[in-house]
């Protein structure tokens, strides 16, 4: 029996496949390392579920998310008794009797909000806004950030210093505070909130791209490309950038969750999506005064934000381990 390759064993690759002369394809190798992190696999399943829910939201919502059903305000979830919740919390907090019925209805499985809108429909529709926010913010941040990062790596010392000092100034401000200032300047709206969050997240891509590009510039294949007469644009985008994508993909995944969380925070503060948009942060803001009398109007949007951000972060950890197996072996 032939001995397994020491490098193969060190990287955790199945030795049997190496001995049989059937090396793993890049995609199979990626999945091999990714599935070793069970949390990442669970996060991937949750993210896929949220994506499917967002894509087919208009088909699966039981009600119009913005339709107000008069006489159905603050209706509890179907499995909750309103009187029981009041007996447990209302009497202890000395609150007035609940303004909702004693039991829920299957017509509104997760209850209704203070204006009689279906919570389940608004949560499902809100997944579209959260994914849209994450995609747009990450697209803007990574496009501008990668361009500036490559420019800082290839430009002379003065140009690189100017770009880095500008990024340092942006990073000197608390991220949420800077986003609030930008939204206050341009006006509260979902579009301006996405631009503000993209500006806040951009320095991370600039610094990461520059560091990765500076490391690649010292390698022989870049020197060979220079000797062969490759133009500066070819060196930047076809020679160096593809070898810097692994850390950028991980950073993009983590920035996606940050964008969802910051957008919810801005919506909660009234500076993001404006009512009646069913965005999760805005739903929390509209339900603040009912937190003690109708817990579901704040619990379900908060859980949606928590589960989404946690799933994306878990998936990002798996991507880091899969794209850089050496790091995962050292941990």
């Amino acid at each position: 029996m032939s001995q397994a390759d020491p490098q193969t064993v060190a990287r955790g690759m199945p030795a049997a496949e190496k001995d049989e002369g059937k090396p793993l394809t890049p995609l199979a190798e990626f999945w091999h390392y990714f599935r070793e992190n069970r949390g990442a696999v669970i996060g991937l399943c949750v993210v896929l579920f949220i994506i499917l829910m967002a894509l087919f939201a208009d088909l699966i919502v039981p009600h119009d998310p913005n339709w107000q059903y008069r006489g159905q305000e603050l209706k509890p979830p179907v499995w909750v008794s309103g009187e029981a919740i009041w007996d447990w919390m209302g009497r202890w907090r000395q609150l007035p009797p609940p303004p909702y019925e004693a039991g829920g209805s299957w017509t509104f499985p997760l209850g209704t909000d203070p204006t009689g809108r279906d919570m389940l429909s608004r949560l499902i529709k809100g997944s579209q806004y959260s994914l849209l926010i994450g995609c747009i913010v990450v697209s803007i941040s990574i496009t501008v950030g990668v361009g500036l990062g490559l420019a800082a790596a290839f430009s002379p010392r003065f140009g690189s210093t100017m770009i880095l000092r500008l990024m340092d100034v942006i990073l000197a401000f608390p991220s949420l505070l800077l986003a609030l200032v930008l939204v206050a300047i341009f006006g509260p709206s979902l579009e301006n909130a996405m631009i503000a969050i993209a500006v806040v997240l951009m320095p991370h891509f600039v610094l990461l791209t520059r560091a990765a590009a500076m490391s690649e510039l010292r390698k022989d294949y870049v020197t060979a490309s220079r000797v062969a007469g490759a133009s500066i644009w070819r060196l930047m985008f076809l020679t160096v950038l593809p070898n810097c994508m692994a850390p950028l993909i991980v950073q993009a995944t983590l920035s996606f969750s940050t964008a969802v969380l910051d957008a919810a925070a801005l919506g909660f503060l009234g500076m993001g999506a404006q009512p009646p948009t069913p965005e999760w942060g805005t739903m929390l803001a509209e339900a603040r005064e009912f937190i003690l009398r109708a817990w579901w109007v704040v619990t379900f949007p908060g859980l949606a934000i928590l589960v989404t951000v946690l799933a994306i972060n878990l998936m990002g950890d798996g991507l880091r381990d899969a794209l850089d197996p050496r790091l995962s072996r050292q941990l």
Side-chain angles (χ1 to χ4, degrees), residues 1-285:
M1 182 181 297
S2 62
Q3 295 182 350
D5 186 358
Q7 294 182 356
T8 301
V9 176
R11 287 173 55 86
M13 188 180 300
E17 295 184 15
K18 187 71 176 179
D19 291 339
E20 295 174 0
K22 297 179 181 179
L24 293 175
T25 62
L27 183 59
E29 184 180 359
F30 169 82
W31 176 247
H32 169 72
Y33 292 118
F34 184 85
R35 69 181 180 182
E36 288 182 353
N37 190 330
R38 295 183 179 179
V41 175
I42 296 174
L44 176 62
C45 294
V46 174
V47 170
L48 290 177
F49 173 77
I50 295 174
I51 291 175
L52 291 175
M53 183 174 64
L55 291 176
F56 299 101
D58 295 331
L59 300 177
I60 64 178
V61 288
H63 304 279
D64 185 340
N66 294 324
W67 186 264
Q68 300 178 2
Y69 292 89
R70 299 301 180 184
Q72 302 293 332
E73 294 83 359
L74 292 178
K75 196 173 184 65
V78 65
W79 64 87
V80 175
S81 169
E83 291 180 351
I85 294 296
W86 182 68
D87 288 340
W88 174 72
M89 180 178 291
R91 295 183 187 277
W92 174 59
R93 299 286 296 178
Q94 298 181 354
L95 297 174
Y100 43 77
E101 299 179 9
S105 169
W106 282 107
T107 305
F108 308 105
L110 297 185
T112 58
D113 67 0
T115 58
R117 295 173 295 190
D118 180 43
M119 289 292 299
L120 178 59
S121 300
R122 291 180 64 78
L123 287 173
I124 294 175
K125 189 68 175 178
S127 63
Q128 288 186 334
Y129 289 95
S130 294
L131 292 181
L132 178 65
I133 290 169
C135 290
I136 293 179
V137 167
V138 171
S139 298
I140 296 175
S141 298
I142 198 170
T143 301
V144 179
V146 167
L148 290 177
L150 290 175
F154 281 85
S155 63
R157 184 180 180 87
F158 177 77
S160 176
T161 302
M162 292 296 295
I163 294 175
L164 294 179
R165 295 295 80 78
L166 177 60
M167 297 302 108
D168 290 339
V169 171
I170 297 177
L171 290 174
F173 292 92
S175 58
L176 186 58
L177 177 60
L178 179 58
L180 279 172
V181 171
L182 294 177
V183 174
I185 294 174
F186 296 108
S189 68
L190 183 60
E191 294 78 9
N192 292 336
M194 289 189 292
I195 295 175
I197 298 172
V199 171
V200 170
L201 297 179
M202 181 183 61
H204 301 285
F205 291 97
V206 175
L207 299 178
L208 186 61
T209 303
R210 179 185 178 275
M214 293 294 291
S215 177
E216 295 296 323
L217 286 176
R218 302 187 184 97
K219 296 184 178 180
D220 294 338
Y221 75 93
V222 177
T223 304
S225 298
R226 291 182 185 273
V227 173
S231 64
I232 186 67
W233 302 108
R234 183 179 181 85
L235 286 174
M236 290 173 63
F237 295 103
L238 296 181
T239 305
V240 174
L241 181 59
N243 295 288
C244 303
M245 291 305 297
L248 290 176
I249 292 174
V250 177
Q251 181 63 39
T253 305
L254 300 178
S255 297
F256 194 103
S257 63
T258 303
V260 173
L261 197 60
D262 287 350
L266 291 176
F268 181 79
L269 296 174
M271 304 298 286
Q274 300 300 303
T277 303
E279 194 268 330
W280 293 336
T282 305
M283 293 172 63
L284 286 174

